[in-house]
Amino acid sequence: MKQFLVTPAAGKRLIAWGMLEHPSIRRVLEGGTLVIIAGTTNGYIAEEILGQLGEDGFDRRGFHRGIIRPPYFRTDGTGHEFPGDVVIRRGRWDRGITIFDVADELGRGDLILKGANALEYSSGRAAVYIGHPMGGTVFPALQAAAGRKTELIVPVGLEKMIPGDLYSTALRMNSAGTEGPGMLPVPGEVFTEVDALRLLAGVDAEPVAAGGVHGAEGAVHLLVDGSDGSLKHAEDILKRAGMERPYADF
């Protein structure tokens, strides 16, 4: 077994590489519709998938509707114009549209990727912040997933792990006496750095510690287990991911 440090940015890139190998991604690119709902982690995924398809012109900077920054961060003059969600039909990028434009036509065989803000790792459940009074992008995604059996995957970094039960947390956050955004648990397949390493290198991994400084704030420490060959492969992948610079949209 070996231990590795995975920063939040490295985790986003690792998740993106793992999603490229996900059987559902491979299947839907051949004959269905893939909707990548805007978000910072999903921006890395869209970048990798569109690059593999030979589609140019995508910039993950600005690929979000809301973003969480530290209080000292100045937003004047930063950011890029929102490009819409990434909708790929039968392997071709349909530019400039969103989940709201295509939700009603999605069904069996199609796939939605929706990021998350909280992860209950032990149960494999994730939840999203709700800041919009009409529920935001998660509601059309859930209508397609629950109403028409569209597959829903939730890529989320281990940095977003929280203690306790997501449902009881969401109940408190959604109460009338609580200020700030609400929260909604999402019934989709959670996909983390651990799942990415399993697909990419055939290893098992578990988070064992967290934190650091000089850009490693929010990092997780993974204990990785596998054969000698698979551990070497995982190490090579994590070294490449570890060179990922911190996320920036300016």
Side-chain angles (χ1 to χ4, degrees), residues 207-240:
V208 293
V213 296
H214 298 305
E217 296 88 347
V220 294
H221 303 249
L222 294 180
L223 182 62
V224 181
D225 190 15
S227 66
D228 290 344
S230 61
L231 281 174
K232 179 62 170 62
H233 189 30
E235 183 174 11
D236 291 341
I237 292 169
L238 288 164
K239 280 184 177 179
R240 285 195 295 128

Side-chain angles (χ1 to χ4, degrees), residues 11 18 20 22 27 35-36 46 61 73 81 84 100 112 117 129 141 187:
L20 280 178
H22 196 291
R27 171 190 53 76
V35 181
I36 308 174
R61 297 174 298 176
F73 193 94
E81 183 178 352
F100 298 101
I112 299 171
N117 300 99
Y129 268 155

Side-chain angles (χ1 to χ4, degrees), residues 16 80 83 175 200 212:
H80 290 248
S175 68
L200 292 167

Side-chain angles (χ1 to χ4, degrees), residues 13-14 19-20 30-31 39 43 59-61 68 86-87 94 104 120 127 134 148 157-158 171 183 188-189 229 231:
R13 184 61 68 188
L14 182 61
M19 287 304 306
L20 280 178
E30 292 180 357
D59 189 342
R60 58 181 166 82
R61 297 174 298 176
I68 298 170
V86 167
V87 177
D94 195 349
D104 290 346
E120 185 185 320
M134 297 301 291
R148 295 184 297 282
L158 293 168
L171 184 64
M183 177 173 278
E189 175 194 340
L231 281 174

Side-chain angles (χ1 to χ4, degrees), residues 12 20 56 65 71 79 85 92-93 115 117 134 138 171 211 215 232:
K12 292 176 188 295
L20 280 178
D56 57 13
R65 287 179 173 82
D85 301 312
R92 298 298 300 273
W93 180 17
N117 300 99
M134 297 301 291
V138 71
L171 184 64
K232 179 62 170 62

Side-chain angles (χ1 to χ4, degrees), residues 106-179:
L106 298 175
R108 297 176 190 266
D110 298 323
L111 172 62
I112 299 171
L113 305 185
K114 168 65 179 172
N117 300 99
L119 170 65
E120 185 185 320
Y121 181 72
S122 61
S123 66
R125 297 187 296 195
V128 299
Y129 268 155
I130 303 293
H132 192 280
M134 297 301 291
T137 57
V138 71
F139 273 71
L142 290 178
Q143 288 171 2
R148 295 184 297 282
K149 307 300 183 183
T150 302
E151 187 176 0
L152 177 61
I153 298 178
V154 185
V156 56
L158 293 168
E159 59 167 315
K160 295 177 180 176
M161 284 190 291
I162 65 164
D165 178 76
L166 265 185
Y167 289 103
S168 61
T169 299
L171 184 64
R172 294 194 302 276
M173 292 181 67
N174 295 337
S175 68
T178 300
E179 296 185 4

